[in-house]
Amino acid sequence: KTAKLIAAEGIEGSVPGLEGLARTFLLSASNHARDSIIRDKFADVVRGWRRSVVLDGRTCIACGSMDGKTYKLDEQKPVLPSHWRCRCLYLPTTVSWRDLGIDIDEMEEGNTVTVKHSARTVHHKDGSTSTKFKVREVGQVAPGTTYSEWMRQQLDEDPAFVRSVLGKTRFELFKAGKLSLSSMVTSGRIARLSEL
């Protein structure tokens, strides 16, 4: 709907392009609003931020390598979204119950949901194409599992999935233990194969 509103205002672009613009802009506004409210209203119980990515095959290697990275509350952190259609966000890390003077143990976090998709190319009337994703499998991992850890687990459980995400050469290097996800990223972008 937002893409249609943008087009109605005279901004030209393909359907997937305008949709990507809308998604990226809305996530940027949402991230800014959430972070500002947390910083302004809950600074007394928030220690910092932890970068969080979606555990699925649509997450880029650059974002996946940053999953779980932490920052202090007032420390400068990279602006999100970090790229077109980025879905990353910062989650607040809070003080413990004991820090608040409450004598109880921390509650266990629930499992984290993972998703695997199948993809197909969609051809639009304007001549552009986009990728349509359909959920193929939903799973769960232990709380706090990072994208890198999840991808390592997938090497045993579903190597074809890891290969579809990383591509042939990166997959072979990752599988052999010669490259980590973070070493596949240079200056916040996915490194070219020639750079690896």
Side-chain angles (χ1 to χ4, degrees), residues 94-168:
T94 59
V95 299
S96 70
W97 289 109
R98 294 196 191 283
D99 291 339
L100 294 172
I102 301 170
D103 191 23
I104 61 172
D105 293 327
E106 296 301 306
M107 291 180 251
E108 287 188 33
E109 294 180 45
N111 287 341
T112 300
V113 174
T114 63
V115 180
K116 294 180 185 174
H117 299 89
S118 58
R120 69 177 177 85
T121 302
V122 177
H123 299 274
H124 300 282
K125 291 178 185 176
D126 64 3
S128 63
T129 61
S130 63
T131 305
K132 177 86 172 175
F133 294 96
K134 183 177 179 183
V135 174
R136 174 172 61 93
E137 179 183 325
V138 177
Q140 292 186 356
V141 294
T145 301
T146 66
Y147 190 79
S148 295
E149 293 165 344
W150 179 61
M151 290 297 277
R152 282 261 167 234
Q153 291 172 1
Q154 295 307 303
L155 282 176
D156 295 330
E157 298 171 19
D158 192 354
F161 168 74
V162 179
R163 184 182 172 123
S164 72
V165 172
L166 299 180
K168 180 186 177 205

Side-chain angles (χ1 to χ4, degrees), residues 6-181:
I6 292 170
E9 289 296 319
I11 298 175
E12 295 181 18
S14 65
V15 171
L18 292 176
E19 181 184 307
L21 176 65
R23 287 178 183 270
T24 305
F25 176 76
L26 290 172
L27 186 63
S28 176
S30 171
N31 283 342
H32 176 73
R34 182 185 50 257
D35 294 357
S36 295
I37 289 170
I38 290 169
R39 189 179 289 110
D40 293 345
K41 304 290 183 190
F42 302 102
D44 55 334
V45 295
V46 174
R47 285 191 172 154
W49 306 96
R50 180 177 54 85
R51 187 167 177 163
S52 181
V53 304
V54 179
L55 298 185
D56 70 9
R58 295 169 45 203
T59 297
C60 77
I61 298 168
C63 289
S65 70
M66 298 292 289
D67 187 28
K69 184 162 174 56
T70 59
Y71 303 87
K72 294 178 183 168
L73 183 61
D74 293 322
E75 180 181 358
Q76 185 70 27
K77 59 189 189 298
V79 174
L80 294 179
S82 61
H83 59 80
W84 186 254
R85 291 183 174 254
C86 177
R87 300 175 293 157
C88 294
L89 57 92
Y90 291 111
L91 297 175
T93 57
T94 59
V95 299
S96 70
W97 289 109
R98 294 196 191 283
D99 291 339
L100 294 172
I102 301 170
D103 191 23
I104 61 172
D105 293 327
E106 296 301 306
M107 291 180 251
E108 287 188 33
E109 294 180 45
N111 287 341
T112 300
V113 174
T114 63
V115 180
K116 294 180 185 174
H117 299 89
S118 58
R120 69 177 177 85
T121 302
V122 177
H123 299 274
H124 300 282
K125 291 178 185 176
D126 64 3
S128 63
T129 61
S130 63
T131 305
K132 177 86 172 175
F133 294 96
K134 183 177 179 183
V135 174
R136 174 172 61 93
E137 179 183 325
V138 177
Q140 292 186 356
V141 294
T145 301
T146 66
Y147 190 79
S148 295
E149 293 165 344
W150 179 61
M151 290 297 277
R152 282 261 167 234
Q153 291 172 1
Q154 295 307 303
L155 282 176
D156 295 330
E157 298 171 19
D158 192 354
F161 168 74
V162 179
R163 184 182 172 123
S164 72
V165 172
L166 299 180
K168 180 186 177 205
T169 304
R170 286 184 182 87
F171 168 75
E172 293 298 332
L173 293 168
F174 186 67
K175 182 179 175 184
K178 295 180 180 179
L179 276 182
S180 64
L181 287 185

